[in-house]
Amino acid sequence: LVTRFGETLIRRVDQALGRAAEPISPKTPASRYRVRLAFAEPISTAEAIEAATKNRLQALCADLEQDSRGARRLELLFFRTDGDVARIAIGTSRPVRDPGHLLRLFREHFDSVDPGFGIDVVILCASLTERLMPGQIELASEAGLALTNESDIAPLIDRLANRLGVDNVVRLQPRESHLPERAVAAVPVLRDSGKEKPSSSSVWPSPSSGASPASRPRPLSLFHPPQPIEAMAPVPDDPPVLFRWRRRVHRIVRAEGPERFGPEWWRESFGGGEGGSAFTPVDGMPNSALTRDYYCVEDSEGVRFWLYRNGVYRPNQQADQQAGQPANKTSPRWYLHGLFG
């Protein structure tokens, strides 16, 4: 093993088994990108603090530019004459080395800095950096438009995250699921992936990365859980001609569909049983182990709805109900899942 993999493997195995010591130092490793400014006389005014921060940002961004890097997380330390240290930390949604933009982010936190009897040393360090290469924007191309839109929206995301909190600004990340309520997940925009990403990686997913086809319309917001409705259709498998929702009847003049979604059987706990498997609903949704037929419909007032039939009709289901037999637990039901516009 030593000949093939080196001594590191054997040392880590011995440390895991407790045969070798593994001292842990409480001292945080110093950042590679770190600049310092000391004053002959302590400063205490807001103007002096901002001027010192601007000076150090310019020096730090120059070092980052030489290595083709951009800052994702920065920390500003103010060492006071009484020995106390004031800290300001900011984060960005993408690698940045623009001193003006970073200064605007720090400026929002200057009110929280208490200079005390004066500040004699200022240290600025970039604790997290990523590769940032100059990008060529191609005219009249989707790639160029995507890069331009990202460059425009990234400063806004940074300002919102630093003002409202990192976890309060989220983006929709596609997931491996075709069910609408599971197709995307809300994750913080500034969440670190732990991997190097190119500078052109967008903080928003591309339209082609979603779980739904681009040709299929989707409402911007969904009901959770879906709203139960009473629908009437001339044929069981046809779209409804009218439905009742919240004590109001909507007559449908246009309908598109169905778009069928099958159940994700690997996510459900089910057992055998006569008349179908007994699935367990999850996420507060109606029985998600049934087949769904989605319809995009428009009523007589021009309002567009996204509704679906949960379950499919069996050939003998209507005869069983007319004969007085109890309805199957998986009998189809209609739900309103979202609104367009």
Side-chain angles (χ1 to χ4, degrees), residues 1-7 9-10:
L1 292 178
V2 174
T3 304
R4 179 174 298 181
F5 301 105
E7 297 181 357
L9 174 62
I10 301 301

Side-chain angles (χ1 to χ4, degrees), residues 42 58-59 91 96 190 207 304:
Q58 292 175 349
V96 177
L190 302 186
R304 301 180 65 193

Side-chain angles (χ1 to χ4, degrees), residues 3 17 43 80 116 169 198 211 221 228 334:
T3 304
L17 298 177
I43 62 173
R80 306 192 322 187
V169 182
S221 59
W334 286 92

Side-chain angles (χ1 to χ4, degrees), residues 136-152:
Q136 178 67 39
I137 300 178
E138 299 179 3
L139 298 178
S141 67
E142 296 182 358
L145 293 176
L147 182 58
T148 303
N149 294 336
E150 178 189 345
S151 302
D152 293 341

Side-chain angles (χ1 to χ4, degrees), residues 72 74 88-93 101-102 104-106 108-109 154-166 169 190:
R72 286 292 309 277
L74 298 97
I88 298 178
I90 63 171
T92 59
S93 59
H101 174 57
L102 297 176
R104 285 190 292 270
L105 299 180
F106 275 118
E108 297 182 359
H109 301 278
L156 174 62
I157 296 174
D158 297 340
R159 291 196 296 269
L160 292 176
N162 282 274
R163 181 174 298 180
L164 305 177
V166 174
V169 182
L190 302 186

Side-chain angles (χ1 to χ4, degrees), residues 250-251 253-254 297-305 340-341:
H250 299 267
R251 298 189 178 274
V253 296
R254 295 181 180 86
V297 301
E298 180 179 339
D299 66 359
S300 57
E301 298 181 359
V303 183
R304 301 180 65 193
F305 305 88
F340 291 90

